[in-house]
Amino acid sequence: MVAISGGTAATNARARIAALSRSREADDPELLDARRDLRTAQLEAHIRKVVDSAPPLTTEQRQRLALILAGTSRG
């Protein structure tokens, strides 16, 4: 698997996780939010990389992908 850094947002999220991990329980809501923010930053970076390297999409293709991101389509 290729590591996706996610840029500054991921760096900030990693730092926040590190700071919170020192004093919080694993199920602390703020720590869980920080972990979710990191995963989101990584996903965003990955999507950006794929979109930048893909050929132009049709309107139908963009709509299909948007449904996946919205969580309303499973295939």
Side-chain angles (χ1 to χ4, degrees):
M1 181 174 176
V2 176
I4 303 292
S5 71
T8 301
T11 301
N12 291 341
R14 279 190 202 95
R16 188 168 167 229
I17 290 168
L20 291 170
S21 295
R22 285 183 224 127
S23 60
R24 307 286 178 99
E25 297 292 326
D27 62 347
D28 180 86
E30 198 172 347
L31 180 56
L32 294 175
D33 284 347
R35 289 189 170 127
R36 184 178 55 235
D37 290 345
L38 175 58
R39 294 295 297 156
T40 301
Q42 291 170 327
L43 179 60
E44 183 176 340
H46 183 73
I47 290 169
R48 173 60 51 207
K49 181 179 176 182
V50 171
V51 167
D52 288 348
S53 66
L57 302 175
T58 66
T59 300
E60 180 183 33
Q61 291 167 327
R62 284 195 300 273
Q63 289 172 341
R64 213 170 47 236
L65 295 175
L67 290 174
I68 292 170
L69 289 172
T72 57
S73 173
R74 299 295 300 169

